Amino acid sequence: MPLLISADELARRLDDEHCGRAATRTVVLDVRWTLAEPDGRPAFRTGHIPGAVYVDLDRDLADHAAHGQGRHPLPSEEAFTRAMRAWGLRDGDSVVVTDDVGIQSSARAWWLLRHAGVEDVRMLDGALAAWTGAGHPLETGDAAPEPGDATAHYGGMPVIDADGAAAFPERGVLLDARAAERYRGEVEPVDPKAGHIPGARSAPSAGNLDAAGRFLPAEALRARFGSMGAVAGTPVAAYCGSGVTAAHEVAALAVAGIDAALYPGSWSQWSNQPGRPVATGAVAG
């Protein structure tokens, strides 16, 4: 199943659906979120892809009641089922996710939907900028979809915990998707300790995109990850600060044809657990 969709292809799909020519319904999910601006509703209301539904990353894609699991613990199957139905998702729908930061936040929705068993989930390559750059229109205001009937069944994507992350470099490649200076331990703006999981390799998620915010071609991504030892057939896992941009890393690896596990707790969990070792510097420990 393809992972990416272009703005023009999405526009054709939505037009076909509007005209009754589509065999499958396409639902567009807009996940506007950044650490600095976690509430994306104002931006969504200002302009979004026609028919898109706003997804609140903090409310819908995380369970903040799960203590000790990092800043963005995975929601339960029951909670994610409620979210999917509130977005209007039905079993058999195709889903396209987007944001306004190069899929850095909406990849979390892509990953969770795949984990929940939704088969056809694609990322809008280039995100909202690609849509507007291609001359396609936006609509304003809120969205109120009719409730759907989709049900989450977790297990579609591999997951590791803190102990798994600790042992992972012994058998495979553990990638750190944060900015390189955070990996090296030079700065740490959010978490209590600076550095990285011993044995992890630095692979900032921003390096997965070109200057236009689109994913690099599969061959270029294979070369990028291959230089870190991450190749098809080798166990690969990814983490970041709180499990959000690590989903983007897993998505980029998938575009390259490389399966990878996600460590949802990521550095926000690891750095808060007493006794977990911390490495610093440019070379993986």
Side-chain angles (χ1 to χ4, degrees):
M1 187 70 69
L3 300 172
L4 304 176
I5 189 170
S6 70
D8 287 343
E9 183 182 351
L10 176 58
R12 286 192 295 271
R13 276 197 187 195
L14 297 179
D15 185 59
D16 285 347
E17 188 173 324
H18 179 74
C19 297
R21 298 188 297 264
T24 303
R25 196 173 73 123
T26 297
V27 177
V28 180
L29 302 180
D30 188 317
V31 192
R32 310 272 185 106
W33 178 90
T34 65
L35 193 60
E37 295 290 341
D39 186 358
R41 289 182 189 85
F44 176 85
R45 294 182 184 122
T46 298
H48 54 265
I49 294 171
V53 178
Y54 175 69
V55 172
D56 187 317
L57 186 147
D58 280 318
R59 182 192 67 195
D60 299 334
L61 307 182
D63 178 7
H64 294 288
H67 299 295
Q69 301 300 310
R71 279 195 306 280
H72 289 104
L74 299 183
S76 67
E77 281 187 348
E78 294 77 14
F80 195 56
T81 292
R82 290 193 296 272
M84 293 166 67
R85 293 179 177 182
W87 305 331
L89 292 189
R90 306 171 194 159
D91 289 330
D93 281 343
S94 294
V95 183
V96 174
V97 300
T98 190
D99 54 41
D100 57 359
V101 287
I103 312 297
Q104 293 281 1
S105 58
S106 58
R108 171 78 168 207
W110 168 83
W111 187 92
L112 266 169
L113 287 162
R114 294 292 296 120
H115 189 44
V118 180
E119 292 186 5
D120 187 6
V121 189
R122 307 188 193 201
M123 298 166 281
L124 177 58
D125 201 15
L128 193 62
W131 178 267
T132 56
H136 300 302
L138 299 176
E139 69 178 13
T140 59
D142 286 311
E146 294 184 5
D149 62 5
T151 301
H153 299 287
Y154 283 171
M157 300 291 277
V159 177
I160 61 172
D161 59 12
D163 289 340
F168 207 89
E170 297 177 5
R171 65 183 185 89
V173 178
L174 180 63
L175 299 178
D176 185 321
R178 298 173 302 160
E181 58 269 24
R182 289 184 71 189
Y183 169 88
R184 293 191 296 264
E186 296 166 4
V187 297
E188 182 43 66
V190 186
D191 294 311
K193 298 175 185 176
H196 59 267
I197 297 173
R201 308 199 182 181
S202 180
S205 60
N208 299 326
L209 305 174
D210 64 16
R214 292 179 171 85
F215 279 100
L216 296 174
E219 315 83 67
L221 287 169
R222 278 193 290 272
R224 177 176 194 245
F225 292 123
S227 69
M228 306 165 191
V231 297
T234 296
V236 180
Y239 74 94
C240 59
S242 68
V244 174
T245 53
H248 182 280
E249 193 94 307
V250 172
L253 286 155
V255 171
I258 303 166
D259 294 331
L262 177 74
Y263 171 26
S266 285
W267 188 249
S268 59
Q269 180 187 45
W270 183 277
S271 62
N272 276 283
Q273 290 186 339
R276 293 287 183 191
V278 173
T280 56
V283 179

